[in-house]
Amino acid sequence: MGAKDTRRNRGTLAHRARYALGHPGRVPAHARRALRDAWLRLRHRDHIAYYRAVMASDAARSAEAAVGHNPSREQWARIGRMQFDYLVRHGLRPHHRMLEIGCGNLRAGRLFIDHLEPGHYYGIDISPHILLAAQDTLVREGLQAKLPHLTLADDLTFAFLPDGHFDVVHAHSVFSHSPLHVIEECFAHVGRVLAPGGFFDFTFDRTEGEEHQVLHEDFYYRTQTLAELAARYGLAAEFMADWEELPHRQSKMRLTTMSDRASTVRP
Ligand SMILES: C[S@@+](CC[C@H](N)C(=O)[O-])C[C@H]1O[C@@H](n2cnc3c(N)ncnc32)[C@H](O)[C@@H]1O
C-alpha cells in the first residue's frame, strides 16, 4: 500500500463536498450514517454510551461490517490475519497472557486464541452485541476448549483485572474511534496490568496535519500527541515503521513501561 494519506482533514465541509462529488454513489449511505449518528449523539452524551449504540446499530446489520468498513468475509479474515501475523512476528508467544481491548467479533482474536495456551486470551469490548457475535465466532471456529475470557467493559481503567498480568495488550481500530480522553484513560491504567517486559500495541488514524474527527466516529491524531500523552503516564512509545508497509490505512504504535525499557517480553 505504501504511504498513507496523512495530511487531509476529512472533517471539513470542503473535503466532504469534494468527496461527495468524486463518489456520488456513496452520498446516500454517508447521509444516512450522519443522520443516525446525530440522533445517537443526542440520546447519548457520553462517548462510550454513544459508540456502544453505534455498534448496536451496525451489528444489527452485520457483525463483520460493524468491525470494519468492508463487510466482505474475505476482507474480515484478511485484516484479522494481518494483525495476527504481524504480532507473532513482533513477539507474541503461546505462553503469553494477552488482553485485547475492543476485541470485536474476534476478527484477529480467533487466531490469537488458537495460538495461545488455554485461558491466556482476555478480550474486552464495550458492546454486548459484538460480544455475542464474538461467541458465535468461537463456536464457528471450534475454540471452546481454549476457554478465552470475553468481558463487557464500561471504561478503560481495567479495575477488575490484576496487576502485572498481561505480557501483550493489543487494540486494533479502537483508538481510531476514540476521543482523546478515552485514550488517556487507557494510558493512565494500562501500565498497571502490564507484566514486566510486556508491551501494548495499538493502531490509530494518523494525521500529519490538523487533528480532527468525523461524525464522532473516526478520530485522527498526530503521532507526537499520543507519544507525549503516553510519556505522561510513564510509557515509552515506539512508532512501528514496518506496519506502514502493510495494506492498512492506520498506523501502529507500541508502548512499554519506562521502568523496563531495556527488556522486551518475557523470553
Ligand atoms: C472497528 S472494531 C475492531 C474490532 C477488533 N479489534 C478487530 O480488529 O476486528 C472496534 C471495536 O472496539 C470496540 N470499542 C470501541 N471503543 C472501545 C472502548 N473504549 N473500550 C473497549 N472497546 C471499545 C467496539 O465496540 C468494536 O467492537
Side-chain angles (χ1 to χ4, degrees), residues 52 123-129 131 150-154 160:
R52 181 177 285 148
I124 63 173
D125 206 287
I126 55 169
S127 167
H129 294 81
L131 286 173
L150 296 175
T151 300
L152 185 64
D154 216 18
F160 55 89

Side-chain angles (χ1 to χ4, degrees), residues 3-264:
K4 299 181 198 306
D5 176 9
T6 54
R7 299 219 64 90
R8 206 175 287 180
N9 184 337
R10 292 167 176 78
T12 61
L13 212 54
H15 170 79
R16 288 158 80 174
R18 261 197 315 276
Y19 188 84
L21 284 173
H23 307 84
R26 296 190 194 163
V27 171
H30 182 81
R32 270 198 304 278
R33 193 177 141 206
L35 264 176
R36 189 258 333 243
D37 287 3
W39 166 242
L40 293 178
R41 260 203 321 282
L42 270 176
R43 294 188 58 201
H44 306 282
R45 290 288 166 194
D46 161 65
H47 175 79
I48 297 294
Y50 158 70
Y51 200 68
R52 181 177 285 148
V54 168
M55 289 306 290
S57 158
D58 285 349
R61 284 187 293 120
S62 143
E64 277 74 35
V67 302
H69 288 290
N70 189 330
S72 88
R73 183 153 282 267
E74 291 72 36
Q75 184 76 349
W76 179 85
R78 189 181 66 73
I79 302 284
R81 171 63 59 181
M82 186 192 305
Q83 295 178 50
F84 174 75
D85 289 346
Y86 186 87
L87 194 53
V88 169
R89 272 206 311 283
H90 287 78
L92 181 69
R93 300 288 172 262
H95 67 274
H96 284 152
R97 293 181 195 278
M98 175 175 186
L99 170 66
E100 185 170 18
I101 299 169
C103 60
N105 67 341
L106 304 179
R107 177 164 62 163
R110 71 202 169 98
L111 302 168
F112 297 140
I113 291 165
D114 194 34
H115 179 70
L116 294 169
E117 291 173 10
H120 281 213
Y121 175 90
Y122 207 112
I124 63 173
D125 206 287
I126 55 169
S127 167
H129 294 81
I130 210 76
L131 286 173
L132 291 177
Q135 283 186 359
D136 292 341
T137 302
L138 277 185
V139 173
R140 201 176 57 240
E141 304 274 327
L143 290 166
Q144 295 90 334
K146 287 288 186 151
L147 222 62
H149 305 267
L150 296 175
T151 300
L152 185 64
D154 216 18
D155 58 38
L156 289 177
T157 62
F158 316 115
F160 55 89
L161 294 170
D163 289 4
H165 189 72
F166 294 103
D167 303 291
V168 177
V169 180
H170 189 255
H172 181 97
S173 285
V174 180
F175 293 167
S176 45
H177 304 295
S178 301
L180 202 60
H181 71 88
V182 170
I183 301 177
E184 178 162 12
E185 181 176 68
C186 179
F187 288 179
H189 294 94
V190 73
R192 181 185 67 77
V193 299
L194 272 177
F199 57 80
F200 171 31
D201 284 3
F202 63 85
T203 60
F204 64 106
D205 270 325
R206 180 165 61 91
T207 181
E208 288 169 2
E210 199 183 338
E211 298 188 333
H212 60 280
Q213 53 82 16
V214 181
L215 301 178
H216 296 265
E217 266 201 55
D218 300 319
F219 293 79
Y220 294 79
Y221 296 108
R222 296 173 71 88
T223 306
Q224 194 184 352
T225 299
L226 299 183
E228 286 174 1
L229 187 63
R232 251 188 262 160
Y233 295 97
L235 300 164
E238 180 191 354
F239 185 74
M240 305 298 268
D242 58 348
W243 174 265
E244 299 292 295
E245 292 152 22
L246 298 175
H248 195 274
R249 72 188 173 94
Q250 295 180 22
S251 294
K252 195 186 274 277
M253 198 181 268
R254 172 167 292 188
L255 302 183
T256 47
T257 54
M258 285 178 181
S259 51
D260 59 31
R261 269 247 62 186
S263 57
T264 53

